[in-house]
């Protein structure tokens, strides 16, 4: 369930400090250390799943929960309402997908333009 060498598993366990956005039994959310946008947080399962390349039917409820949480947490973190506001969801997968941390995570980015990147 946990990978002792994984930086996000350590963040979830509180072994590495983070700015927490949300936590429940299944998921953890925290601000990205290097934000691209005024709002930029990461939503991760507590279970160590390396990426979207490893998900299966057993993760349907978990993935649904994460996708439903994203708009709620985005609004709570200050993203402006749709359609003038909104947010971006990104899930980098694998080296060619731009994934650097191999613990499944959804980036949620938003807030007034311009952004640092993206
Ligand atoms: P990826 O490129 O894997 O999709 O994104 C990994 C993200 O994790 C990057 O945006 C990076 O800034 C963030 N990140 C990496 N290490 C840490 C850390 O120790 N703390 C926090 N809060 N974010 C991190
Ligand atoms: Zn992990």
């Amino acid at each position: 369930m946990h990978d002792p060498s994984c930086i996000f598993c350590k963040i979830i366990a509180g072994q590495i400090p983070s700015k927490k956005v949300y936590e429940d039994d299944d998921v953890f959310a925290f601000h990205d250390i290097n934000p691209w946008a005024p709002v930029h947080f990461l939503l991760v399962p507590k279970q160590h799943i390396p990426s979207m390349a490893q998900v299966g039917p057993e993760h349907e409820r978990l993935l649904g929960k994460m996708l439903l949480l994203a708009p709620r947490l985005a609004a709570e973190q200050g993203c402006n309402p749709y359609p003038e506001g909104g947010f971006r969801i990104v899930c980098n997968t694998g080296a060619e997908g731009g994934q650097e941390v191999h613990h499944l995570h959804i980036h949620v980015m938003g807030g007034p333009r311009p952004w640092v990147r993206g």
Side-chain angles (χ1 to χ4, degrees):
M1 290 291 266
H2 301 281
D3 177 343
S5 66
C6 169
I7 191 166
F8 286 178
C9 282
K10 289 180 185 169
I11 285 175
I12 293 160
Q15 293 161 0
I16 293 175
S18 70
K19 285 170 63 185
K20 184 163 83 173
V21 166
Y22 175 83
E23 179 175 15
D24 66 23
D25 287 346
D26 305 309
V27 306
F28 193 87
F30 55 101
H31 291 279
D32 197 294
I33 205 166
N34 187 18
W36 286 27
V39 176
H40 185 174
F41 62 88
L42 304 172
L43 190 51
V44 309
K46 286 192 168 175
Q47 178 187 357
H48 181 86
I49 303 167
S51 81
M52 283 296 285
Q54 284 81 26
V55 298
E58 68 275 24
H59 300 118
E60 183 173 342
R61 190 190 61 83
L62 174 67
L63 293 171
K65 182 182 212 177
M66 289 172 68
L67 273 182
L68 286 173
L69 267 169
R72 190 187 114 194
L73 298 180
E76 287 177 11
Q77 292 303 311
C79 292
N80 293 312
Y82 176 92
E84 290 81 7
F87 53 86
R88 176 179 293 177
I89 289 173
V90 173
C91 187
N92 299 323
T93 304
E96 292 181 350
Q99 184 178 9
E100 292 180 355
V101 177
H102 290 265
H103 181 127
L104 174 61
H105 54 281
I106 294 175
H107 295 255
V108 182
M109 290 170 268
R113 298 281 181 167
W115 291 359
V116 177
R117 292 172 72 184

